[in-house]
Amino acid sequence: MKTRLQKYIFFTCSAFLLIFMILMSRNAGISCDEVLHYDHSVAVYDFFESGGNDLSALDTPETNLKYYGQSFDNLTTLIIRILNIEDIFRFRHLMSAIAGWAVILLTALFALWLTGFETAILVMFLFAVSPTFIGHAMNNLKDVPFSLAYIAGIFFSVRIVTSENEFKWADIILLILSIAFAISLRAGGLLLVCYLFLFCVITLITRHLIKRSTDWKTEIKRVIILIFISFAAFFLGILQWPYALQDPFRNVLESYNVMAHYPLTFRQLFEGSAQWSDFMPWYFIPKSMLITIPLVVLAGFIILFFFIKKICWSGRGLLFSFLLISLFFPLVFVISIKSNVYSSWRQFLFLYPVIILLSASGIIYLLEVLKNRYMKFALAGIIVFLAYHPVRFSVSNHPYEYIYYNQLTGGLKGAYGNYETDYYYTGQTEASEWLINYLKEKDIDSALVRATFSVDWSFRKHPGIKTSYFRYEERSQYDWDYAIITNRYIPPYQLKNNIWPPSNSIHKILVDDVPICIVLKRDTKADYLGYKALTEGRYSDAIRFFQEALNFNDRDEMIFYNFARALNENGLSLKADSALRKALQINPDSEPVLMYCGNLAAQRKDRDKAVMYYERLLSANRKYYEAYVKLSGLIVDKDLLRARELLRECLRLNPHYKPAIIALGDTYRENDPVIAEKYYKMADTIIN
């Protein structure tokens, strides 16, 4: 009777979650990755439709998307084309939600097979109160499907290698499909093949130690089947992947190497400062997980380790060891090779089903040892209490669940200015819809709209509204009427000191009272006209325009910066210095301002001040290569070794930066012309 009731609860919860997630996906925002991956999926579609003649899917120098299999995106686009679906992104979100639900269901089935219905039901509950996962399940067609493939691959690998009897064909087929699906999404799916053989070896050793004998004939047969599974999965996995089809083994391996050391790097907020993704501290991923996973999940995960002895005595030690390997190995590997990591732990979302499974198991083991009914009620109360924080956040802030931070940071408010929030730019969708309605109410049918990422899709039915991209800090240098700005790449100083959002914001998207996206209305174009005059050498006109612009907006460092440039060109250096000081009050880490201040100080023979500005600049951005050369040139006479080390550091970051190579050669010109000549010849091989 109890099992029957549990089964009813299990399937009812599953059905409810499916309906709930599909409905939630209907108003999910469009992420920045979605735009890129959809465009690439169209190129993949064209590749196959043209019989391989259209090779645009192989030409991705900026996005590197040829190295992704992204089969789920490709499948979704295929369905869109076949069914002539007009609302492309809403359908993509529907597909993403279904994939997210499948992750939950399969993890619950894994729990059911592992320990029973109680754990399976708890798995669904823990997923439901996990805002980060639920949020990504609304619009992430690469990380969520990969999570599905990963947990499926582990599940069926464990079922096969721990089977005492002959392998079941159903398990073999499902494992092939799981590994193939993983490879078709990312080359990193090959990790499941490694797990398969590792689990097999561990199981074989364990059986031998227990039984003191081994049926080698049976084990060799098992290995042959595993080899068949691996090759079948590999070739099935590359069928939708144009780049892999060109040279299956070499290109898949190359894709894996590229993804392990992703060539594109990004600035992002972590621990209160903007850091480059390839220079994040080793604990970036673990800490990002620690501060965004609900405490109820973390608590269950920690509890599990108090029952290790009981798990081993129950005969499930081997099974749980496989889960722990599949959780910790990717983390240890990425930390050890110092991978380029960014966007919180989104790229490691595939580990979350394993975490949930272990957490649910820990809570169930604790529940089993509590014999007193009231103690069980108390535990249930604690679980509900810990779940309240993420549930409240999700209910209050849909569709921005993925921005969740737990109590360890003081929630989203505590994380604001210290860690990334809307790094996926999803707030731009709601902001675009608001602006469309605003323009309709104002009877405006033509306008120039700039945004910090593409909003073309949102404005597709409004041809009079022209949209384009710009960087927020350069907004004064472009022509626009309205702007949509996400808080990604906003300097942390401005976030923490209420400089952002600016005063000309006419709408704000708030999540727990934290602004994640805004709509700006331009009060004057004098700043843009001033910039045009400056670039055309009309310095008096530029000064006049900038003075007018500052009457409307005195919180834009780039207006002050360009104003200072115009003043300097007109011989008004004292006023220029004053403008630059005001620019640094708005943004102390403004790179163009610091560079300009350093250059001015160097021109005025104020060496110490110039050194100070260049050092501040390199502290703000270690990849501002020109500053290394400038700083080295200032100190070379007094500290030759440090000057050379600065240039070598620059070349470690960018081996092809020609000015640094020439400058390094210059440091040897007088005392070692042979070495100097080697550097000059090296510089000659680099084409600017």
Side-chain angles (χ1 to χ4, degrees), residues 334-568:
V334 165
I335 291 171
S336 64
I337 67 171
K338 299 179 180 179
S339 283
N340 174 21
V341 288
Y342 51 90
S343 297
S344 189
W345 56 286
R346 171 188 63 75
Q347 298 159 309
F348 291 82
L349 203 65
F350 65 93
L351 299 179
Y352 199 57
V354 181
I355 294 173
I356 288 286
L357 183 53
L358 294 171
S359 177
S361 299
I363 293 172
I364 292 300
Y365 275 115
L366 178 58
L367 194 63
E368 288 176 353
V369 301
L370 298 177
K371 303 302 181 183
N372 187 301
R373 173 171 74 171
Y374 296 106
M375 293 294 289
K376 292 179 182 288
F377 285 142
L379 177 60
I382 293 172
I383 292 172
V384 172
F385 173 75
L386 291 177
Y388 171 76
H389 189 268
V391 170
R392 183 211 61 79
F393 181 87
S394 297
V395 171
S396 302
N397 299 298
H398 177 69
Y400 304 108
E401 290 89 346
Y402 91 99
I403 302 174
Y404 175 76
Y405 282 86
N406 63 31
Q407 296 94 317
L408 296 179
T409 62
L412 182 61
K413 290 182 180 179
Y416 185 66
N418 294 307
Y419 301 95
E420 291 291 350
T421 53
D422 193 13
Y423 57 80
Y424 244 1
Y425 295 86
T426 58
Q428 289 196 161
T429 304
E430 183 181 345
S432 298
E433 292 171 356
W434 182 90
L435 181 56
I436 289 169
N437 292 329
Y438 173 85
L439 295 175
K440 187 182 296 184
E441 291 174 2
K442 300 293 184 180
D443 198 26
I444 298 172
D445 56 10
S446 63
L448 296 176
V449 175
R450 297 269 182 177
T452 45
F453 203 83
S454 173
V455 291
D456 292 352
W457 177 259
S458 296
F459 289 91
R460 68 193 184 281
K461 295 181 180 179
H462 304 274
I465 301 174
K466 306 300 181 183
T467 64
S468 55
Y469 163 82
F470 75 164
R471 296 175 63 196
Y472 172 72
E473 61 269 29
E474 297 173 351
R475 62 195 181 279
S476 63
Q477 300 174 180
Y478 289 88
D479 186 15
W480 53 273
D481 301 305
Y482 299 90
I484 297 171
I485 313 296
T486 303
N487 66 6
R488 180 82 188 265
Y489 295 122
I490 304 299
Y493 179 85
Q494 295 188 350
L495 295 176
K496 294 177 181 179
N497 291 276
N498 298 318
I499 296 173
W500 193 89
S503 58
N504 57 332
S505 304
I506 57 174
H507 185 66
K508 301 174 186 176
I509 307 296
L510 300 176
V511 178
D512 267 8
D513 296 325
V514 166
I516 64 165
C517 188
I518 60 172
V519 178
L520 300 182
K521 180 181 179 182
R522 198 166 203 163
D523 297 317
T524 177
K525 294 190 178 182
D527 49 357
Y528 169 64
L529 295 174
Y531 178 72
K532 280 191 66 178
L534 175 64
T535 57
E536 293 169 1
R538 296 183 287 111
Y539 303 120
S540 296
D541 289 341
I543 291 171
R544 177 170 52 83
F545 280 125
F546 286 132
Q547 286 174 332
E548 180 185 342
L550 289 171
N551 290 329
F552 291 89
N553 182 6
D554 61 354
R555 307 294 276 176
D556 184 338
E557 68 270 28
M558 291 301 288
I559 297 178
F560 282 107
Y561 164 67
N562 287 317
F563 185 31
R565 291 171 59 197
L567 289 167
N568 260 320

Side-chain angles (χ1 to χ4, degrees), residues 193-262:
V193 175
C194 300
Y195 285 162
L196 180 60
F197 285 94
L198 176 63
F199 295 169
C200 180
V201 170
I202 294 174
T203 304
L204 177 60
I205 294 172
T206 304
R207 282 178 180 154
H208 181 77
L209 292 174
I210 293 174
K211 295 181 179 180
R212 299 296 179 181
S213 64
T214 302
D215 184 351
W216 289 109
K217 184 178 179 180
T218 301
E219 296 304 332
I220 291 173
K221 182 180 178 182
R222 287 174 180 268
V223 171
I224 292 173
I225 293 174
L226 297 187
I227 293 173
F228 164 75
I229 289 172
S230 302
F231 277 95
F234 178 83
F235 287 107
L236 186 62
I238 64 174
L239 290 181
Q240 287 192 64
W241 187 357
Y243 186 64
L245 290 174
Q246 309 304 306
D247 190 335
F249 293 108
R250 187 177 68 179
N251 285 358
V252 171
L253 183 60
E254 181 188 355
S255 298
Y256 171 78
N257 290 329
V258 170
M259 291 300 103
H261 297 281
Y262 194 61

Side-chain angles (χ1 to χ4, degrees), residues 71-80 91-92 95 141:
S71 63
F72 198 76
D73 283 90
N74 301 337
L75 173 63
T76 302
T77 297
L78 176 63
I79 297 172
I80 288 170
F91 181 75
R92 284 174 57 87
M95 292 290 287
L141 277 74

Side-chain angles (χ1 to χ4, degrees), residues 66-127:
K66 71 177 182 180
Y67 299 112
Y68 285 89
Q70 67 161 62
S71 63
F72 198 76
D73 283 90
N74 301 337
L75 173 63
T76 302
T77 297
L78 176 63
I79 297 172
I80 288 170
R81 291 297 180 92
I82 292 173
L83 301 180
N84 292 317
I85 295 171
E86 181 181 344
D87 199 338
I88 292 169
F89 286 96
R90 179 167 287 188
F91 181 75
R92 284 174 57 87
H93 298 164
L94 169 66
M95 292 290 287
S96 183
I98 292 173
W101 173 79
V103 173
I104 298 173
L105 179 63
L106 191 63
T107 309
L109 290 173
F110 198 163
L112 175 61
W113 177 78
L114 191 63
T115 55
F117 272 110
E118 294 94 340
T119 312
I121 294 169
L122 187 56
V123 160
M124 288 191 283
F125 171 78
L126 293 178
F127 266 116

